[in-house]
Amino acid sequence: MNVAVFSKPDCPYCDKVKKIFKLTNINCAVYNLDEHFNRDAFVSEFGEGSTFPQVVVDGRKIGGCNDTVKFLKEKKIV
């Protein structure tokens, strides 16, 4: 499973998603706002009004924290 997390500093939902991946031993690439991308690139990729984090699994946009937990439950990972 190829996982990317688009995160921003001081975001409790970002921290939660990263912790879930760590606890399930799923490696994820973490991309941070203003370090790896800027706000315009984020909006261009995920759409106006998208929240942090945004998770992409195997090229498929999963969504934010709640959508990621739902996805992992559906896949019986958590």
Side-chain angles (χ1 to χ4, degrees):
M1 186 180 305
N2 187 5
V3 178
V5 177
F6 293 83
S7 182
K8 71 176 184 176
D10 302 319
C11 168
Y13 295 105
C14 300
D15 294 340
K16 180 178 178 179
V17 162
K18 291 183 278 188
K19 185 174 183 176
I20 289 168
F21 285 123
K22 184 175 182 177
L23 290 172
T24 56
N25 293 316
I26 296 173
N27 291 327
C28 64
V30 177
Y31 301 100
N32 293 306
L33 178 66
D34 295 330
E35 183 180 343
H36 300 105
F37 62 93
N38 63 26
R39 174 95 40 200
D40 289 339
F42 181 81
V43 169
S44 176
E45 181 66 27
F46 297 104
E48 189 70 41
S50 293
T51 59
F52 284 92
Q54 287 296 310
V55 176
V56 178
V57 177
D58 295 331
R60 178 178 160 210
K61 295 174 184 170
I62 302 301
C65 183
N66 292 337
D67 292 328
T68 300
V69 171
K70 181 180 173 186
F71 171 82
L72 293 172
K73 284 181 179 179
E74 287 172 358
K75 298 292 182 185
K76 301 193 185 319
I77 295 170
V78 295

